[in-house]
Each structure stands twice: as C-alpha cells, then as structure tokens.
Amino acid sequence: MAEEKKKSADPAVLQLLAKCESCEGLPTTMWDRYDAMQPQCRFGELGVCCTLCFQGPCRINPTGKEPVRGICGATDYTIVSRNLLRRIAAGTAAHSDHGRHIAHTLHALIEGETDAYSIKSEDKLKAVAKKVGITAEGKDTMQLAKEVVDLALEDFARQDENVPLTWLKTILTPERMEILERCDVVPYNIDAMVTETMHRTTMGVDADPVPLIFNGVKCAMADLAGEAISTDLSDILFGVPKMVVTQTNLGVLKEDQINLAMHGHNPVLSEVIADMADEMVDEAKAVGATGINLVGVCCTGNELLSRRGIPLATNFASQEAVLMTGAVDAMIVDYQCVMPSLGMWAQCYHTQLISTSNLCRQAGDVHIEFNPKTAKEDAKRIIGLAIEAYKNRKETDIEIPDYRETIVVGFSLEQIEEILRTQSDDPYQYIVDQLKEGKIKGFAAMAGCNNLKTCQDESHLTLAREFLKNDIMVLATGCAAGALVRGGFTSSKATQEMASEGLKEFLTTLGKGMGLEDALPPVWHMGSCVDNSRIQFFMTTLANKMGVDIKDLPIVASAPEDMSEKATAIGTWLVASGWPVHVGIFPFIHGSPLVVQVAELTARDVYGGFFIFETDPNEAARRLSNIIKHRRWKLGIDADEEIVYPTGETAADFFEETEPQKANTANGGK
Amino acid sequence: MAEEKKKSADPAVLQLLAKCESCEGLPTTMWDRYDAMQPQCRFGELGVCCTLCFQGPCRINPTGKEPVRGICGATDYTIVSRNLLRRIAAGTAAHSDHGRHIAHTLHALIEGETDAYSIKSEDKLKAVAKKVGITAEGKDTMQLAKEVVDLALEDFARQDENVPLTWLKTILTPERMEILERCDVVPYNIDAMVTETMHRTTMGVDADPVPLIFNGVKCAMADLAGEAISTDLSDILFGVPKMVVTQTNLGVLKEDQINLAMHGHNPVLSEVIADMADEMVDEAKAVGATGINLVGVCCTGNELLSRRGIPLATNFASQEAVLMTGAVDAMIVDYQCVMPSLGMWAQCYHTQLISTSNLCRQAGDVHIEFNPKTAKEDAKRIIGLAIEAYKNRKETDIEIPDYRETIVVGFSLEQIEEILRTQSDDPYQYIVDQLKEGKIKGFAAMAGCNNLKTCQDESHLTLAREFLKNDIMVLATGCAAGALVRGGFTSSKATQEMASEGLKEFLTTLGKGMGLEDALPPVWHMGSCVDNSRIQFFMTTLANKMGVDIKDLPIVASAPEDMSEKATAIGTWLVASGWPVHVGIFPFIHGSPLVVQVAELTARDVYGGFFIFETDPNEAARRLSNIIKHRRWKLGIDADEEIVYPTGETAADFFEETEPQKANTANGGK
C-alpha cells in the first residue's frame, strides 16, 4: 500500500491501478512506462542536448569538463536557452491556436454558417468590446461580435510591429506595459512571435542567452494574449461560468448510463455534444441505458465543469484510468494532453476512442472530423457511436471506483465580482480591505499539470493545504484545479477543516452574502489552463485598484507538477508580469547556471517576478508563504511585523526578496 | 596529408587548419569539436528521443525491444514525426522571416522612410506583379511596389483558411496545386502554418504519423512561398543577378586592403555596405590600406556574389577559417548559420565580429543594430569599425592561402532565359528540344549545407562530377554552390574538362550565343538557399511548357551535406513538388521504419517525389542518374532505350520508379 501511495494521491486511481495489476494482458499504464524509462537521459533533463542541426546531436558536459561546446561552438547557455525558447513557442502555439479556433467558430456563427452556436453572454460580449476599445452603442449583437472577433483575429494578422497585441494591453497594468515596452518584449502578432522564436533558435542564429530569453518573454506575452482571447471568446459563445454545485472523481461514471468522456482542451465541440445529448436520451434508452452521462477529463473537462457543472472524471495523469473502469462507451478527444496510449486502453474494452480534430489523431481512433458548420450533426454522430458501443459493454469489465466529491466550482472573475459585491459596491476595494485587515494574507494561483516524476496530485494538495493554513486564498486552474476538486478542497467542508481563522471568516461572510448557509470553498476553481488569463485579469484589476503593479501584490503562483510546454509559456508570462512562480519539476534548464540565475534572480530585477525551482512541496509552500509575508510588509500592510526566519533558513532563500529592502529602510527608505 | 584530406576538399582550408594546429593557445575548430563530440547520441541521431514534455526525456529502443513507448505512450513514429515537424517549422520560420524582413525593408522604401534603397529592377517588379495578378498599367513604380509588398505581407496575415498563399500558386504547376489541394496541404498563411505545426507537435496532440507528415508537407509549402517572396523582393530591391566573372576562395582576401567579410543570409544590410564602401576608400587609405575589400561568406556571400560579383571567401564549414587568416578586419554577420565559435576566433586576432540583427547576437560581438531607416549610417559605422581595426593588424598573424578560382556566376532565371533566347525565341522550347535530342539528359539541383559528418565539400564535388559525366546539367545554390565554385566547377575550363560531349556542345553553343569565346560553365550558380525558389520556378515553367508536372521531368535534387533545419524544409517541399531528393546525411528519422518508408516510398505514390538517403556520393550519383534515365524513358524521350541495371543492383533500388511502369506497359499502358 505504501508503494501504491506513491503513484497517486487519488484512491480511485489507486483502486484501478491495482485492478489492472491483477489482470493479464492489459497494456502498460503511464506509471509502468515511467518506470521502464528509468534512468532518464541526464543531458536532456539538464537541457544541454542539442538536436537543432544534423551535425549533432551534441551534448555538453554539465560539470564544466569537455566538451563544453557543441560542434558549432554553442555553449551550455546557448543550447539551454534555445531549447527553452522552443518550448515557449510550442506552448504559445497551442494556447493561441486554441484561441484562433474559437474565433473561427464565432466567426462562422456571425456569418450564419452554423446553427449550433449562439452568443450565450451578451454581457461578456459588451464587457470584452469595452475593454478592447469598441463602442457597443448602436450596434446589434452580431455586429458587435463581428467587430470583437475581427479585432481578435487582428492579433494574429497585424503586420505593423509598432502596434501591441490588443488583448495584451487589456490584461496588464499600465506600469507593466511600460516595463515590457522598455524591455522591447511587447509582441505585435501572435503567430509572428512563434515564427520569430523558431527562427531565432535555428542553427547559427541567436547565441546570446540574454536576447534569447527576452525573446522567450516576448513570445510568452503572446501566449498570454492567446489565452485571454480563448477565455473571452469562449465566455461570449458558451457563457460565463457561474457558481455551481456538482461532483467529481471517477465515481461520477454511471453503470446504467451511456458514459461519454470528453477530453482535451477546446470546448467548441464538447459544448455542442452537451447540447445534443438531451435530444438523444430516447436512443440511449432504446439500447437499455437509463440515460446519457457526460463527464469531462483534463481541461475540456474543466471547461464543461465550469460552465455546465458537468462532472469532472479526473485530470491528466489518470486519463487512462477513465478507460480502465470499462464503463466508458466513448472517449471524445479534441486536442492537447491526450495520451497516445488511450487507443491501447480503449481497445481492451468496448470503448470508442473518437478523435475530432485533424490536429490530433490517435492510433486506434475513430475519426469524426468536427466542423463548426456541421457541429450538431457531428455531435449526434459521436453520441450515436457511444450508444452503439454501449451494446458491447461487458459487465465483468466494469469497475467504477466508488469515489466522488461534491464540489462548488464556476469561479469566473465575473462570479467572483458578484460575490464580492454582496459586501461592497466596490468589490476590489473590499478585497483590498480584507487584505489590509489580514483576513486574507494573499492569493496563490495554483496551475499546471500532472507529472509522474512525483506522486500524482500530492504536491498540489500539500501546497494548497499549507496555503490555507496561512490565510492564503487559492485560485486554481487546469490540472491543479482537477487535483484540488478531487482532493476535497472545493467545498464548504474544506473551509471548515482546512482554512485558517481569517480565511474562514472571509469565506463564511461571502457565503452568507450569497445567501448560502455555509462558507464558500477555500479553493476557487477558475477554469481550464487558458483561464489563467482570468487570474491574471483579476490581479491586474486589483493592482490597478491599489495603484500598484502585480509585482507588488501579495500573490504567488505554483505549478508543482509542470509537464507541458504550455506550462513553460504560462510560467514565463507570469514571471514577466511580476509573479513569483514556483515550479516543482525541473524544467530542463539546470544545465546552464546562467539561465537558472536569470530565471531566479535577474528576472526579479527586470520584471519583479521570478522562478523558484523546488521539488519539495512543503519547502515550496514555506517559501511562497514567506514571499507573501514579505510583499505585505513591503506594501506597508504588515509594516510592523517582523519577519521571522524559521531555524535552518538559508539567507540565500530570501536575500533578493528582503535584504535590499532592509538596506533601503536602513538608509531612510526610497 | 591523408588525414587532412578527410577534413575538407578545399586545400585553402587544409592549409589554415594545419597552420592552427602548429600554434599554441588557439581555440578549437569545428573539426576539433566534432571529434570531441564522438560518439554522438544514437537515440538523437535516430530521432527517437523526445523532450517535448517534462515527464521526459524519453527514448525509445530502436531495436524493437522495450521501451517501445515513451511515458505518454508515444511510439517511434510519433516521436520521430513530431521531431521532424519541428525541424520543418524552424526551417520555414527562418526562410520566411527572412522574406518578411525584405518585405519590411521594401515597405520602408515605399513609405519614404529610407534613402538607402531603391527599386533596382523595375522589370522584375513588373514580372512579379504580373505573376501574382496585379496589373501594372497606369501605376507608377512605387504604387506598384506597394501593391506587391502588401500582397506579400498578406501571405503572413491572411485569416481565410480557404485562400492559398499567393506566392505558392505562382511557383507550382496547375497539376501540382491540384495534388496539394487534394491532400489538403495548401497553406493560407505562413506564420499560422508554423504555429499549427508547433501546436500539433505539442505533448498530447497529434500521434498519427500520417497527418503529422502531411502537416509537415503543408508547412514546407509555406517555406517555399517564404523563399519565393525572399527571392522576388530581393531582386526587386537589389537587382536581378546577371552573369558575372569573379573570384572565389580564401585567396580573395587582400593583405593590403581592409577586408570586410559579410556572413549570414539576408542581403538588406550587406547591399548597403557594398554601396557605402566606395565612399570610404579615403578613410581606408588614411590608415595605410590601399582600399576596402569586400568578401562574402555563406549565403550572404552568395547573394553578393550573384548580384555584384563580390568574391565569395568560403562556405559554411570553413567560416572559422576566414578568421584564421588573420587578415579579416571585420566579419559582419546578419543571421543563420553563424557559428557561435566566431567570437573566440575573432578575439585571437584584431578582427571585429559585428552582429547587426537583434535576432543573432554572438559572444564577443560588437553589436550595431541594423535598421533600414538608418541603413547608410549603420553601414558607415560598421565600415568605420573595420578601418579602425585594421590599425591593430599583426603582420605575423596573417596567412592568406594562395587559392582563388576564377568563376562565372549570376545565373538567375532571367539570365538563363536571356541566354536561351540567343538560340530561340521560345527559350523553354529550346530546353525541351535539347532534352529530347539528348544534348542534356536532365537537370540536377544541388543544394544544402556543409556537414562535418563527411569531408567538407567532397560529396558535392563527387556528385557534380558524376552528373556532368552523364550529360546532366547542374543548378546549384547555397553552400553546395559555395563548394562547387571553390571546387572549380563554374568556369569554361570545367566544361572542357568535366562535361560529357552533349553537355559540352550545349554549353558551347550557349556561350557563343552570348558572344563569348568559351563555353558556359557546367554548373550554374543560382544563388543563396532561398534561391532554391529560382530552381523551382525554372522547373515549373519547363513542366508547364511540356504540359507535364515536375514529377515527370528528368530532374533530381541533392543535398549531400544537409545540416540545417532549413534543409529539411526545402527537401520536404521539393519532394512534395515531385522531385527525387537525395540526402547525404541521415536526418534523424531512421528510428521509425514507418517514417522512412513514407519518405522513400509513400511520398512517391502521393506526390511523385521521394527521398533517397545515401551517404556514399558515388552510389547516390548512380541512383540519381538512373532516375533521370528512367524519367526520360517514361516521358517517351528515350523510349527505345533499355535501362541497364549495373551488376549488383538490388531490385528495391528502382522498384517503385520502374516496376509499376513496366507493368503498365505490359498491360498496354495507362
């Protein structure tokens, strides 16, 4: 049992892994493959392996002995930086292509080419129009939507290098835009940034880690804009998430219903499936099921969870486990974080693995190319396949772990503002007051993936637990949110059990304000990974309210299980926006002390944000909590409080965060 | 001596390497670093190493033993294809960003923001306008130029996925466009293709090698358009290359002059330096030099060589050797293929290493950011630095190898057409006739890089020698052209010594037609690596004349020393255009038999083009010559000729090229 504990913090996952271990002839799990891959290539882990030209592969000796240069002459910092940039470019490409696809769907609606969609939130449309500088007055909904979507597509099309991305300006403080402009890292076109990054990292182009890393920052800022476009246009098309009570974990699968698991990231198809499922209940009943049960996986799951309360079955690492239940009639995948092993697992059961984007085909898939123009028909065909598959279910295969959590999710920024407005007409002032009173000490954004280099979800849960103990409110997205909902952090009960006194009072007050008997949950599920833009918008608005910048706010971010290249792009724009960002899995840069120093220290001087690389979640929580303490002290909130360093603290841990400030104070302050 | 022979086919390079070996304290050469890097990682060379997520690095066992899947479940073909696609995306990014920068320069000229440029070729402007469908009538030069450059930028900006890239349509036969449309590989926006390719290859997106590779083809077609834009706009701005007699090899450096070596790819700066150098001769004389000597390196060198007859010092692999002469006062780099070791070498001498693009900084550089708006001043500052540096030259450091070749270069397509017009009003019909008469059997495009996995230039020379023996005319670009000019292949003498009878007659006739006493050279230097678009336009025009497609023409392409990711992009669009493409260095795909099969065989079925991976240049030449023979036979030119397989030939070598056709013939033909 001790060994199994290491694999996942989720007992539902452990139950299924144990089940599979006792069966013959089943495919490997991700955990098996992780073990089989040991030991992993140390050159690769350190980022000092270069395959960017056919004279290679080259690998630098990270200990400083020969070879210290690749064949072309590239040193550790060049190789590490180039590899890092390509990851940022890939992450940016993924997030922003997602945004582009939503824009095209909205465009198809406006052009009258599809009847599968509608503008679900006119309020959001107006709010977005306003923030990007479009007047709503005198325009009907479709006209306004057209202007918004055209402006969004302009962020992919603009050829004037002097005009910044529209969506970037909306999501940063004026001070931040100034810093970025000063550093020449304000992108003008998202796609052009991806191209520039790929060009710059080609053999014989940039060898200097400083412009390389600045380019990485610029590309990551394009990622932020791409995410913001994704979130805004999704809200317009599919509605702004509202607080909703629902359930999560594998126990949400139903033995007597057609189980459709929707996996990936982009809600353009899954939203239509959710619309169409109701219409097909009779067909489901005709094959003996009592209904159609929709569940989500990964970030498509988070999108559906937030907007419709559709239960989230699980997060990234346990996507195979969804199939291991034997109860899934169809798993529908759009794109991103879809494991190529799913086909193997689907084939062990009656499950149909249905791919729907030509961007993301899988071995063993049935491919139904999704097109916004034929979305309803596509959705019906997909549901039809699931209904057909149900007939082939084998009762003996089925094992649905009896784990499900009741959760409160749907914390869009609009929802949060509505909650705060129950206390004050000025919701952000209310937050400022609560911060000043110390009811809440600060905010921790928990984001990112699963990564089997550590026990699934465990670090997410540990960090959140520590934050809540310290009056730090947790805002969660993506697979971090997936971990925290399943781990029991998004209920009133969690507030009672885990929140410190101030936080509990804050959440109880807000719960009562909303007419609830209980406190709000201590972790607010804010959506999928592109919805990190919601968190950023939240903090930018708060900073503007306080007349400071994100770099001054008592906030931290953490991706304790970073896995995807998308996480690298997110982490980079967070740092460049002024966030302290903890990363729990070393991101292939430690082969260059210089690059690590830039990430940990130089970034702080330039942007006010910085990376903290720390595999131990308790240590990470301690450092992050201290940063919040320190930032409160710098803001003058807790000016009198002496920061007590726990025994065993090394000075280096805080030096950059605290010492210069102390020095300034000694000299009479700035 | 035998050992040195292995390093380079160029005696000038060998002389300098020998000089450096005898000195103490000098930095490593690329050859030293190549040796130090042995043995290279076999996983990387086979393409089965994946670092696309932080659960990795993963490496598949290429022998079929465990592990056969990465942690996420990706198999060899998924990993190999994804890595391949990223190389294509990088190559496309590099070529097309280059095109974008030329477009921006032209734009600055049109907007009156710079006095450093002019429209050097109105004829080319009109020709380009015509082929992209812009009427020239009633428009002045600047207005026409504006329309052309706006349309070029539209290929980076277009958001309508149904409209193909303008520049792609201009450079393919109608049949080819149809094939590409059928395969859904016609791109609409160059940058968006780079983004899509990066997105598709992100963790958990495409796992299927077929759509992955098709996407690679689509991205490579965007690369072709980017190259064509680069060539067309460069010709408009800097003039269309004309035949010119000049010199090459390291002996073109001059002991008594200020030596400026211009290296990289984009001519926007080096053209202005060439303009300004004349104005600064007095300053050069003031420091004791007799003048300013401009030389080129790599593809910036090829651009200057083609348009101005500025001597080419050397190609990629021996860029360090240029500095080893101790006679270079400044090496000016723009971007691409610039070795990060140059700074070390520059610092050994008085040489200034001047970087000019913020995309391409180097350790030890002096950075003078080049801007089209201040181009003249930038150029003067750069030349001024070289003049200053000259004062610090040490006579004892100087060793200029006494090797220089007299060469005839400048074979733009316009120049070729002019040459052919001396024989016929219908130049392409003349080519057809010559092909039919067998004076020339076909064309070989020789392109690509240097790669120290083989002896510098040797394979280029061997292949060209074999082609010329077989009446195959050689068209060369990039570092292949750099090898062939230095190797003595671009003179009348070469025609006398190396060309077979038919080819000799063809070239002598053309030479006389041009009013020369001697034959034209047997290898036509057609420009830099983006100028592969010239070769493609040539063959498309020829195919249109013959009413066939590129896949039917007796043509082959070869990159015997492929090194850069750009070469992967070029090779891919050549294959997808119907070219047989030889590659002499294995391109990190042999870890997936499936991907290799697609490249060698499936591509042939779909596109008519295919890859040949062969490290032995003699064997490659034999196979490529046979393909030309076979294609002539298929065209009915040599219908009676029986194709004789040399002893020891394996059936597999030709099966796909010849057997199906034989079968069809046996059945009465198609």
Side-chain angles (χ1 to χ4, degrees), chain B residues 334-365:
Chain B
D334 50 82
Y335 49 54
Q336 299 170 22
C337 301
V338 174
M339 279 161 47
S341 62
L342 290 179
M344 293 195 294
W345 281 99
Q347 282 165 2
C348 295
Y349 306 100
H350 71 295
T351 312
Q352 292 277 17
L353 176 67
I354 305 171
S355 65
T356 59
S357 165
N358 87 331
L359 278 170
C360 181
R361 297 292 305 268
Q362 302 298 324
D365 64 358

Short mmCIF file of all heavy atoms in Angstrom, two decimals, chain B residues 334-365:
data_model
loop_
_atom_site.label_atom_id
_atom_site.label_comp_id
_atom_site.label_asym_id
_atom_site.label_seq_id
_atom_site.Cartn_x
_atom_site.Cartn_y
_atom_site.Cartn_z
N ASP B 334 24.71 38.78 -40.30
CA ASP B 334 23.30 39.09 -40.12
C ASP B 334 22.67 37.92 -39.37
O ASP B 334 22.69 37.93 -38.14
CB ASP B 334 22.60 39.47 -41.45
CG ASP B 334 22.84 38.50 -42.60
OD1 ASP B 334 22.15 37.47 -42.65
OD2 ASP B 334 23.71 38.77 -43.44
N TYR B 335 22.19 36.89 -40.04
CA TYR B 335 21.68 35.73 -39.29
C TYR B 335 21.69 34.44 -40.08
O TYR B 335 21.79 34.45 -41.28
CB TYR B 335 20.29 35.99 -38.69
CG TYR B 335 19.22 36.56 -39.62
CD1 TYR B 335 18.88 35.97 -40.82
CD2 TYR B 335 18.51 37.70 -39.23
CE1 TYR B 335 17.86 36.49 -41.62
CE2 TYR B 335 17.51 38.25 -40.03
CZ TYR B 335 17.19 37.62 -41.23
OH TYR B 335 16.18 38.14 -42.01
N GLN B 336 21.56 33.36 -39.36
CA GLN B 336 21.52 31.98 -39.83
C GLN B 336 22.90 31.44 -40.21
O GLN B 336 23.63 32.07 -40.95
CB GLN B 336 20.54 31.80 -41.02
CG GLN B 336 19.10 32.15 -40.67
CD GLN B 336 18.18 32.20 -41.89
OE1 GLN B 336 18.46 31.62 -42.93
NE2 GLN B 336 17.07 32.91 -41.75
N CYS B 337 23.18 30.24 -39.70
CA CYS B 337 24.43 29.53 -39.98
C CYS B 337 25.68 30.25 -39.49
O CYS B 337 26.79 29.99 -39.97
CB CYS B 337 24.54 29.19 -41.47
SG CYS B 337 23.17 28.17 -42.05
N VAL B 338 25.50 31.13 -38.54
CA VAL B 338 26.62 31.85 -37.94
C VAL B 338 27.10 31.04 -36.73
O VAL B 338 26.36 30.89 -35.75
CB VAL B 338 26.19 33.26 -37.49
CG1 VAL B 338 27.31 33.96 -36.75
CG2 VAL B 338 25.73 34.08 -38.70
N MET B 339 28.28 30.51 -36.79
CA MET B 339 28.74 29.64 -35.71
C MET B 339 29.07 30.44 -34.45
O MET B 339 29.78 31.44 -34.52
CB MET B 339 29.95 28.82 -36.17
CG MET B 339 29.52 27.61 -36.99
SD MET B 339 30.84 26.89 -38.00
CE MET B 339 32.15 26.82 -36.82
N PRO B 340 28.57 29.96 -33.30
CA PRO B 340 28.83 30.68 -32.04
C PRO B 340 30.30 30.68 -31.65
O PRO B 340 30.67 31.34 -30.68
CB PRO B 340 27.99 29.90 -31.01
CG PRO B 340 26.99 29.15 -31.80
CD PRO B 340 27.63 28.85 -33.11
N SER B 341 31.12 29.99 -32.41
CA SER B 341 32.55 29.97 -32.09
C SER B 341 33.28 31.16 -32.70
O SER B 341 34.44 31.39 -32.40
CB SER B 341 33.17 28.69 -32.65
OG SER B 341 33.02 28.66 -34.06
N LEU B 342 32.61 31.92 -33.56
CA LEU B 342 33.32 33.01 -34.27
C LEU B 342 33.93 34.02 -33.30
O LEU B 342 35.02 34.54 -33.55
CB LEU B 342 32.37 33.71 -35.24
CG LEU B 342 31.95 32.89 -36.46
CD1 LEU B 342 30.99 33.71 -37.34
CD2 LEU B 342 33.15 32.44 -37.29
N GLY B 343 33.21 34.27 -32.21
CA GLY B 343 33.72 35.24 -31.23
C GLY B 343 35.09 34.83 -30.69
O GLY B 343 36.01 35.65 -30.59
N MET B 344 35.24 33.54 -30.38
CA MET B 344 36.53 33.04 -29.89
C MET B 344 37.64 33.32 -30.88
O MET B 344 38.74 33.71 -30.52
CB MET B 344 36.47 31.51 -29.71
CG MET B 344 35.58 30.99 -28.65
SD MET B 344 35.97 29.22 -28.32
CE MET B 344 35.50 28.40 -29.86
N TRP B 345 37.33 33.05 -32.15
CA TRP B 345 38.36 33.21 -33.18
C TRP B 345 38.65 34.68 -33.45
O TRP B 345 39.81 35.07 -33.64
CB TRP B 345 37.92 32.48 -34.47
CG TRP B 345 38.18 31.01 -34.34
CD1 TRP B 345 37.30 30.03 -34.02
CD2 TRP B 345 39.46 30.36 -34.49
NE1 TRP B 345 37.92 28.80 -33.94
CE2 TRP B 345 39.25 28.98 -34.24
CE3 TRP B 345 40.75 30.80 -34.78
CZ2 TRP B 345 40.29 28.03 -34.29
CZ3 TRP B 345 41.79 29.86 -34.84
CH2 TRP B 345 41.56 28.50 -34.59
N ALA B 346 37.61 35.49 -33.45
CA ALA B 346 37.84 36.92 -33.68
C ALA B 346 38.75 37.49 -32.60
O ALA B 346 39.63 38.31 -32.88
CB ALA B 346 36.50 37.66 -33.71
N GLN B 347 38.55 37.01 -31.38
CA GLN B 347 39.33 37.55 -30.27
C GLN B 347 40.80 37.15 -30.31
O GLN B 347 41.63 37.74 -29.62
CB GLN B 347 38.69 37.13 -28.94
CG GLN B 347 37.48 38.00 -28.63
CD GLN B 347 36.59 37.44 -27.53
OE1 GLN B 347 36.90 36.40 -26.96
NE2 GLN B 347 35.51 38.12 -27.24
N CYS B 348 41.13 36.14 -31.12
CA CYS B 348 42.54 35.76 -31.27
C CYS B 348 43.29 36.73 -32.15
O CYS B 348 44.52 36.73 -32.17
CB CYS B 348 42.65 34.38 -31.90
SG CYS B 348 41.97 33.10 -30.88
N TYR B 349 42.53 37.50 -32.91
CA TYR B 349 43.16 38.42 -33.84
C TYR B 349 42.65 39.84 -33.55
O TYR B 349 42.07 40.08 -32.50
CB TYR B 349 42.86 38.00 -35.29
CG TYR B 349 43.24 36.56 -35.54
CD1 TYR B 349 42.27 35.55 -35.54
CD2 TYR B 349 44.58 36.20 -35.75
CE1 TYR B 349 42.62 34.23 -35.74
CE2 TYR B 349 44.94 34.87 -35.95
CZ TYR B 349 43.96 33.88 -35.95
OH TYR B 349 44.31 32.59 -36.13
N HIS B 350 42.83 40.70 -34.49
CA HIS B 350 42.37 42.08 -34.33
C HIS B 350 40.94 42.23 -34.86
O HIS B 350 40.37 43.32 -34.82
CB HIS B 350 43.29 43.01 -35.12
CG HIS B 350 43.09 42.84 -36.60
ND1 HIS B 350 43.39 41.66 -37.26
CD2 HIS B 350 42.58 43.69 -37.53
CE1 HIS B 350 43.10 41.80 -38.53
NE2 HIS B 350 42.60 43.01 -38.73
N THR B 351 40.38 41.11 -35.31
CA THR B 351 39.11 41.14 -36.04
C THR B 351 37.94 41.60 -35.19
O THR B 351 37.77 41.14 -34.06
CB THR B 351 38.80 39.73 -36.59
OG1 THR B 351 39.98 39.23 -37.23
CG2 THR B 351 37.63 39.76 -37.54
N GLN B 352 37.13 42.49 -35.74
CA GLN B 352 35.87 42.87 -35.10
C GLN B 352 34.78 41.93 -35.60
O GLN B 352 34.60 41.80 -36.81
CB GLN B 352 35.49 44.30 -35.49
CG GLN B 352 36.40 45.36 -34.92
CD GLN B 352 36.04 45.73 -33.48
OE1 GLN B 352 35.32 45.00 -32.79
NE2 GLN B 352 36.56 46.84 -33.03
N LEU B 353 34.10 41.28 -34.67
CA LEU B 353 32.93 40.48 -35.05
C LEU B 353 31.71 41.37 -34.80
O LEU B 353 31.42 41.69 -33.64
CB LEU B 353 32.85 39.20 -34.22
CG LEU B 353 31.62 38.34 -34.49
CD1 LEU B 353 31.64 37.76 -35.90
CD2 LEU B 353 31.52 37.21 -33.46
N ILE B 354 31.05 41.77 -35.86
CA ILE B 354 29.96 42.73 -35.71
C ILE B 354 28.62 42.07 -36.01
O ILE B 354 28.37 41.62 -37.13
CB ILE B 354 30.17 43.94 -36.66
CG1 ILE B 354 31.55 44.56 -36.39
CG2 ILE B 354 29.06 44.97 -36.49
CD1 ILE B 354 31.97 45.61 -37.40
N SER B 355 27.80 41.98 -34.99
CA SER B 355 26.45 41.45 -35.21
C SER B 355 25.54 42.63 -35.52
O SER B 355 25.75 43.74 -35.03
CB SER B 355 25.97 40.70 -33.97
OG SER B 355 25.84 41.58 -32.88
N THR B 356 24.55 42.39 -36.34
CA THR B 356 23.75 43.51 -36.86
C THR B 356 22.26 43.29 -36.72
O THR B 356 21.47 44.19 -36.99
CB THR B 356 24.07 43.73 -38.35
OG1 THR B 356 23.78 42.53 -39.07
CG2 THR B 356 25.53 44.10 -38.55
N SER B 357 21.87 42.09 -36.30
CA SER B 357 20.45 41.81 -36.11
C SER B 357 20.22 41.45 -34.65
O SER B 357 20.99 40.68 -34.08
CB SER B 357 20.02 40.63 -36.98
OG SER B 357 18.77 40.14 -36.54
N ASN B 358 19.16 41.96 -34.07
CA ASN B 358 18.91 41.60 -32.67
C ASN B 358 18.50 40.14 -32.57
O ASN B 358 18.41 39.58 -31.49
CB ASN B 358 17.87 42.54 -32.02
CG ASN B 358 16.46 42.07 -32.24
OD1 ASN B 358 16.15 41.42 -33.23
ND2 ASN B 358 15.57 42.41 -31.32
N LEU B 359 18.25 39.52 -33.72
CA LEU B 359 17.93 38.09 -33.74
C LEU B 359 19.17 37.22 -33.56
O LEU B 359 19.04 36.02 -33.35
CB LEU B 359 17.31 37.70 -35.09
CG LEU B 359 15.84 37.96 -35.29
CD1 LEU B 359 15.48 37.73 -36.76
CD2 LEU B 359 15.00 37.06 -34.40
N CYS B 360 20.32 37.81 -33.70
CA CYS B 360 21.51 36.97 -33.83
C CYS B 360 22.71 37.62 -33.17
O CYS B 360 23.58 38.16 -33.83
CB CYS B 360 21.76 36.71 -35.32
SG CYS B 360 23.18 35.67 -35.69
N ARG B 361 22.73 37.60 -31.85
CA ARG B 361 23.87 38.12 -31.10
C ARG B 361 24.87 36.99 -30.86
O ARG B 361 24.49 35.82 -30.78
CB ARG B 361 23.39 38.69 -29.76
CG ARG B 361 22.45 39.88 -29.88
CD ARG B 361 23.12 41.11 -30.43
NE ARG B 361 24.29 41.46 -29.65
CZ ARG B 361 24.29 42.31 -28.61
NH1 ARG B 361 23.18 42.89 -28.23
NH2 ARG B 361 25.40 42.57 -27.96
N GLN B 362 26.11 37.38 -30.74
CA GLN B 362 27.17 36.38 -30.54
C GLN B 362 28.05 36.80 -29.37
O GLN B 362 28.27 37.99 -29.15
CB GLN B 362 28.04 36.27 -31.80
CG GLN B 362 27.27 35.91 -33.06
CD GLN B 362 26.60 34.56 -32.98
OE1 GLN B 362 27.16 33.62 -32.39
NE2 GLN B 362 25.41 34.43 -33.53
N ALA B 363 28.58 35.79 -28.66
CA ALA B 363 29.56 36.10 -27.62
C ALA B 363 30.75 36.79 -28.28
O ALA B 363 31.22 36.32 -29.31
CB ALA B 363 30.00 34.82 -26.92
N GLY B 364 31.19 37.88 -27.70
CA GLY B 364 32.36 38.57 -28.24
C GLY B 364 32.06 39.50 -29.40
O GLY B 364 32.97 39.98 -30.06
N ASP B 365 30.77 39.75 -29.65
CA ASP B 365 30.43 40.62 -30.78
C ASP B 365 30.46 42.09 -30.38
O ASP B 365 30.40 42.44 -29.20
CB ASP B 365 29.05 40.27 -31.35
CG ASP B 365 27.90 40.51 -30.35
OD1 ASP B 365 28.16 40.91 -29.20
OD2 ASP B 365 26.75 40.29 -30.72
#
